[in-house]
Structures are given as structure tokens and as C-alpha cells.
Amino acid sequence: MCKHQPPCPTAESADRESARLMASHPEQGWSLLCNGVLLFEDTGELLPDGQIIAPHRQEMTAA
């Protein structure tokens, strides 16, 4: 899917979230990355192969 240089990390890479943004729909709560990953506002992800990555947002705690 990625056609620019240097290429974005693949959907299987640990740093897949650093791929370029292709489409953003904040009103719907998701964005499409260059590597085919759907990134949701709760930090969950849907990979191109259908694998679901659970949200991994860090919770804020009171000091």
C-alpha cells in the first residue's frame, strides 16, 4: 500500500502507528494509515488481515 520513500512501517511492525495518515474521520473516531491499519480514537486498531489490537491508551492517574 505504501508507495513513498522511505516506506512506512508495515502493519505487522511494532511501530505500525507511525505510518503516514491517508484518511482521517475524527467525527467517526477513526483514521486510515498508509500501511492499511485502521486506527481508532481509543487507540484500538484493526489490521488489514482482520486482526484486532485492543486499545492501549495509558490511563491518567491522580498524583
Side-chain angles (χ1 to χ4, degrees):
M1 190 173 224
C2 181
K3 296 183 184 344
H4 49 264
Q5 293 296 324
C8 289
T10 66
E12 295 79 27
S13 299
D15 61 344
R16 66 181 151 260
E17 294 176 16
S18 64
R20 289 187 187 183
L21 188 64
M22 298 297 290
S24 179
H25 292 276
E27 72 283 359
Q28 295 177 356
W30 62 271
S31 297
L32 175 64
L33 302 180
C34 184
N35 55 10
V37 172
L38 278 174
L39 181 62
F40 296 95
E41 69 180 14
D42 68 354
T43 69
E45 301 170 16
L46 179 60
L47 303 186
D49 65 2
Q51 182 181 357
I52 297 169
I53 306 296
H56 46 277
R57 178 185 308 173
Q58 293 204 3
E59 295 294 323
M60 294 182 62
T61 57

